[in-house]
Amino acid sequence: MKRRLGACALFVCTLACALPTQGAGAPERTLDVQLELIAADARVLAAAATPPVRRAALSERIRSNLGSLGMTARAAGRQDAAWPAALAGLRELFAAGKLAAFAGAARRLAAAHPLDVAYFEPLAVTPQRLSTGRSIYRRYCQGCHLGPGAGRWAPDLFAMARKEPRREFVARLLGGVFGDRTTGHANPFSDEALASLTAYFLAPGAAK
Ligand code: HEC
């Protein structure tokens, strides 16, 4: 199931959709991205300050991700003996609404399958990347994401890039950005393009 969140041309990932091309890449990477996103969403869901509307959207996305996780793991060939119990345990905690325990279990599982972010950290911020990142952002993202500090319905990507651990932010870029029908809804951006975007988001005084 693919679910559109917000009126966007891009999907915010439920990862029910296997991501075939560059962005998420190989099935192993898809699994790592999915686990990282579940853990990240679980943490926000468990936080007392998270408003109800956001909670509802996060729960929906987690539910969807948990639903497809078994399939993703099979595709990635990563099902060791401990996997079924770990997955069942996660689903139980989520279904029981034990959010703090769920967040902890999701984080442990993600830590056991860490997304490789060597391409993004350390991140070389070069003039070339800044200029590529700026033009991608202006052309494809700004219309919804608006710019530093201004995000209302779509998050401020500049703040997000600065605040979040790099692994989490990269997972959101890899798993959260989708193309349209022309890319088979796959993430259309290469790692280099996403690194350029990240460099732009992090650059001091990046222009809106
Ligand atoms: C058509 C509108 C639209 C466009 C264009 C768009 N986004 Fe988004 N994006 C959204 C909305 C809305 C959300 C918040 C959805 C939610 O969290 O419920 C979002 C969320 C995100 C997130 C957070 C995902 C997560 O895991 O919570 C990232 C990262 C992101 N967008 C990156 C981008 C980038 C990079 C571009 C440009 C290449 C882009 N977006 C273009 C609307 C858009």
Side-chain angles (χ1 to χ4, degrees), residues 27-59:
E28 296 80 16
R29 198 185 202 194
T30 305
L31 176 63
D32 297 346
V33 167
Q34 190 166 357
L35 287 170
E36 180 61 33
L37 287 178
I38 291 173
D41 285 351
R43 191 198 63 231
V44 181
L45 184 66
T50 305
V53 177
R54 183 92 191 114
R55 264 170 213 285
L58 286 168
S59 294

Side-chain angles (χ1 to χ4, degrees), residues 102-197:
F102 173 66
R107 179 44 69 199
R108 282 192 295 281
L109 201 57
H113 300 80
L115 173 65
D116 179 1
V117 289
Y119 196 84
F120 302 88
E121 191 173 54
L123 188 74
V125 178
T126 61
Q128 174 65 55
R129 278 184 166 172
L130 286 179
S131 114
T132 304
R134 186 189 308 113
S135 59
I136 294 175
Y137 179 72
R138 289 188 174 167
R139 177 147 185 216
Y140 296 107
C141 320
Q142 191 180 36
C144 295
H145 285 272
L146 299 171
R152 285 212 307 256
W153 59 294
D156 176 344
L157 297 173
F158 295 80
M160 206 177 218
R162 283 155 212 234
K163 193 179 65 189
E164 291 184 344
R166 186 65 47 82
R167 177 169 285 140
E168 181 173 327
F169 186 67
V170 169
R172 291 189 193 285
L173 285 177
L174 288 169
V177 180
F178 285 77
D180 55 16
R181 258 172 236 160
T182 60
T183 69
H185 299 295
N187 189 324
F189 296 110
S190 64
D191 280 8
E192 181 51 32
L194 295 177
S196 297
L197 268 174

